[in-house]
Amino acid sequence: MLNNASSSLSPSGYYDARLRRRKLYRAAKKKGGRKHAERKSFKNRHFPFHCLPREISAEIFVLCLPDSEDPIKSRNAAPILLCNVSSSWRSLALSIPRLWNELAIRIADPTVDLDLATTMADSWIARSGELPLTLCLYTSSRNEKGTAMAKAHLNTFFRYASRWESVDISLFGLSPVSFPNLKFGLTPLLRKFSYSTSCLVSVPFPFTSCPLLSTITWPFPCFVASNVDPDIPWHQLTRINLEHKMSTHQTLSILQTCQKLVELNVSVDDDPSLDGVRSRRKPVENRSLRSFHIIYVHITCYCSGLLQSLTLPALTDFSLDTYFDSLSSISSRSVHTQLLRLFTRSKCKLEKLRLGGCGFDDASILKCLKHDSCSSLTELEISNVFNRPMFTDRVILALGFNNVLLPNLSRLSLEMCLSASPGVFGLMILTRCLWWDKGDQLKSLSLTVRDELEDIDGAFLKIANKSGLDVEITIDRYNDSDVAEDLYDTDS
């Protein structure tokens, strides 16, 4: 026993034990390595995404961003959803700047801590690296906390103004909010700026240099030929949406100054004292304007004053909406005459036409649709504040039977203006759906009427719907104004 003990403590026995331990360690390590390799092989076999190069994975993540008109990011969509899958996905998502260069914030009834909310917004934007930014801020809060939250987020946004590309700010229900001071006033990447507010307190245009700005929405009075808005680069704008009421004179000044203008949306409310000035000036020609949407707060003879002062040869999308206090103030014949003269003078080819509350009768509508500028129409929308017959048998028959008008019409919207004999309207719609070439068929129909359609018209529309026509019918029994019919003169 002592001999055995002494042999185990001998130098040779000691080294033999160390050798055995090393062999056991190497065997265990090799076995563990095999297990690790097996686990990795299993992971790669069942989760091939992990085999992709980082650049490919990043591109896939970017393609996961929702293609939605609503800029507000949902928790159930990228990029937030990607961060909730696993720690590796979260790490990858946070490292991809293109997932974070768009941010939209909606403030309704704020419950989040102010500092926490601004920190989260700042962290989101910081992840975008040096990429151009698209930012949106919408508020409808009516309390002091909402106002404070809006101001805090504006401060955050303005700190990144040098990287703005597109910014949309809508502040409603708040006390007056002024823009933060913008250092040097430089926004070298800004292409689109939209600002809407319910506050009547005007604020100055916040930028002094925006060489790429082409699209603007602005809620305050604008005067092109003055020093009121010297920082607005009118000469380079291509799309303008003015939410404050403008005069005819101001509208013409914009069209004359902005020769690159492609789209103009404007509300006009004229002062009668300006009529003499308008009548003496020569027509303004803008050769680039393609989309022109006019809202007249009061339709009077001054509406025709704007139409007779314009020449728009590139026009393809025209909309005239009018709101008026009493029917007796309408000069619909003058508007109709000047509208047709505008078309003739411009020699334009319209694709979209909207006439809202213009006071036209069926003869005026038909004459308008027969104009050469309307022969290329693909979308037509006619609406009426009163339930007055405008889209009658004589118009319908011209659209569906003899010498068909508007052969390329694909979308038709009629609101409180349809008055037809049983079956006439439905048969016209069905004809344009079944017996037209596929590319020229009517694809969408929207109707707002006071009473249910006749059974035969309903049957025809059901057949058209089964053939592919998108049909939407709304019954509006509250818009009941038969008095309108007696206040208009109807051409025979």
Side-chain angles (χ1 to χ4, degrees):
M1 185 174 188
L2 292 174
N3 291 335
N4 291 337
S6 61
S7 65
S8 64
L9 296 174
S10 65
S12 60
Y14 173 75
Y15 287 116
D16 290 343
R18 285 188 63 185
L19 183 61
R20 285 195 298 271
R21 284 197 301 270
R22 286 186 179 180
K23 288 182 178 179
L24 290 172
Y25 174 75
R26 289 173 181 171
K29 185 176 180 181
K30 187 175 181 180
K31 186 177 180 181
R34 284 199 301 267
K35 288 183 177 180
H36 176 74
E38 289 174 358
R39 287 197 301 269
K40 187 174 181 181
S41 175
F42 175 84
K43 189 176 182 180
N44 292 339
R45 186 167 60 253
H46 292 276
F47 303 98
F49 184 83
H50 293 280
C51 300
L52 296 176
R54 185 181 180 86
E55 294 77 8
I56 301 298
S57 301
E59 288 295 328
I60 293 174
F61 274 24
V62 171
L63 292 174
C64 290
L65 291 172
D67 185 14
S68 171
E69 294 182 359
D70 187 358
I72 302 295
K73 303 295 184 183
S74 169
R75 295 180 179 179
N76 300 319
I80 300 176
L81 180 62
L82 298 174
C83 295
N84 294 330
V85 175
S86 66
S87 59
S88 60
W89 278 38
R90 176 180 175 81
S91 177
L92 177 60
L94 293 177
S95 68
I96 304 174
R98 283 186 293 166
L99 294 178
W100 309 100
N101 67 326
E102 296 184 6
L103 173 61
I105 299 173
R106 180 179 288 123
I107 303 172
D109 186 15
T111 57
V112 181
D113 178 74
L114 179 61
D115 292 335
L116 176 60
T118 54
T119 299
M120 292 170 62
D122 191 71
S123 299
W124 183 296
I125 298 174
R127 297 185 197 121
S128 64
E130 297 299 323
L131 291 180
L133 296 172
T134 296
L135 303 176
C136 303
L137 176 62
Y138 308 124
T139 68
S140 57
S141 177
R142 297 183 179 274
N143 54 46
E144 293 182 0
K145 187 173 182 179
T147 300
M149 186 77 74
K151 290 181 177 179
H153 282 306
L154 281 177
N155 286 329
T156 301
F157 282 12
F158 269 70
R159 285 202 300 271
Y160 296 91
S162 62
R163 292 201 285 127
W164 284 1
E165 183 176 48
S166 175
V167 174
D168 186 356
I169 301 172
S170 298
L171 307 179
F172 291 92
L174 303 180
S175 55
V177 176
S178 58
F179 289 129
N181 291 328
L182 184 61
K183 188 177 181 180
F184 306 123
L186 304 178
T187 50
L189 305 180
L190 186 62
R191 296 180 181 275
K192 179 182 178 181
F193 182 73
S194 175
Y195 179 44
S196 301
T197 179
S198 58
C199 182
L200 301 179
V201 179
S202 178
V203 299
F205 194 69
F207 319 117
T208 58
S209 176
C210 39
L212 300 182
L213 184 64
S214 61
T215 303
I216 183 175
T217 297
W218 192 244
F220 304 119
C222 298
F223 303 92
V224 177
S226 72
N227 295 322
V228 175
D229 299 296
D231 295 327
I232 298 180
W234 296 104
H235 65 283
Q236 68 189 47
L237 297 181
T238 59
R239 288 177 168 82
I240 300 176
N241 180 29
L242 299 176
E243 298 181 346
H244 191 276
K245 300 179 184 67
M246 306 286 288
S247 69
T248 292
H249 179 74
Q250 293 167 337
T251 304
L252 292 174
S253 295
I254 290 174
L255 288 167
Q256 189 171 37
T257 302
C258 305
Q259 288 300 311
K260 295 182 180 180
L261 197 60
V262 174
E263 177 181 339
L264 176 61
N265 303 320
V266 62
S267 297
V268 180
D269 189 6
D270 262 330
D271 182 350
S273 64
L274 297 175
D275 188 51
V277 177
R278 289 193 304 275
S279 63
R280 290 195 300 269
R281 65 185 301 162
K282 295 181 180 179
V284 171
E285 182 177 24
N286 187 302
R287 304 190 67 84
S288 63
L289 190 70
R290 296 200 296 267
S291 177
F292 191 21
H293 296 179
I294 313 169
I295 297 177
Y296 253 88
V297 180
H298 298 94
I299 179 169
T300 64
C301 60
Y302 308 115
C303 175
S304 60
L306 175 61
L307 299 179
Q308 71 184 4
S309 302
L310 287 173
T311 302
L312 307 171
L315 191 65
T316 60
D317 179 0
F318 181 75
S319 172
L320 177 61
D321 282 273
T322 60
Y323 297 90
F324 44 86
D325 298 328
S326 64
L327 293 172
S328 60
S329 67
I330 298 178
S331 181
S332 59
R333 290 183 179 177
S334 175
V335 174
H336 180 264
T337 299
Q338 295 304 329
L339 180 62
L340 295 184
R341 288 179 180 176
L342 168 64
F343 292 163
T344 301
R345 189 167 56 249
S346 301
K347 298 180 180 178
C348 55
K349 291 295 183 181
L350 296 176
E351 297 175 2
K352 300 178 182 180
L353 176 63
R354 169 182 167 81
L355 300 173
C358 295
F360 296 170
D361 56 20
D362 55 349
S364 299
I365 290 291
L366 186 58
K367 191 173 182 179
C368 181
L369 298 183
K370 286 182 177 180
H371 195 281
D372 184 60
S373 290
C374 294
S375 62
S376 52
L377 281 177
T378 60
E379 297 184 21
L380 174 63
E381 182 175 350
I382 300 175
S383 63
N384 190 21
V385 178
F386 300 94
N387 189 42
R388 183 196 180 207
M390 299 167 64
F391 216 79
T392 60
D393 286 0
R394 63 193 303 187
V395 179
I396 296 169
L397 292 173
L399 285 173
F401 301 98
N402 299 327
N403 299 320
V404 177
L405 291 177
L406 315 185
N408 302 318
L409 189 65
S410 62
R411 298 181 182 276
L412 177 62
S413 177
L414 303 175
E415 181 178 347
M416 304 304 289
C417 62
L418 178 63
S419 178
S421 302
V424 174
F425 179 74
L427 182 58
M428 182 273 290
I429 297 297
L430 184 61
T431 300
R432 298 192 70 120
C433 289
L434 296 183
W435 295 307
W436 251 244
D437 293 336
K438 189 172 182 179
D440 297 328
Q441 289 177 352
L442 191 66
K443 298 178 177 61
S444 174
L445 172 66
S446 176
L447 281 180
T448 300
V449 292
R450 187 178 62 183
D451 302 310
E452 297 281 352
L453 295 177
E454 296 288 344
D455 290 343
I456 187 171
D457 289 293
F460 283 142
L461 292 184
K462 285 184 179 179
I463 298 174
N465 179 245
K466 291 180 179 179
S467 300
L469 179 68
D470 183 14
V471 180
E472 179 181 354
I473 301 177
T474 302
I475 308 298
D476 184 1
R477 301 187 187 279
Y478 297 99
N479 199 335
D480 191 0
S481 301
D482 292 332
V483 295
E485 300 182 18
D486 298 329
L487 296 177
Y488 289 88
D489 292 329
T490 304
D491 295 334
S492 57

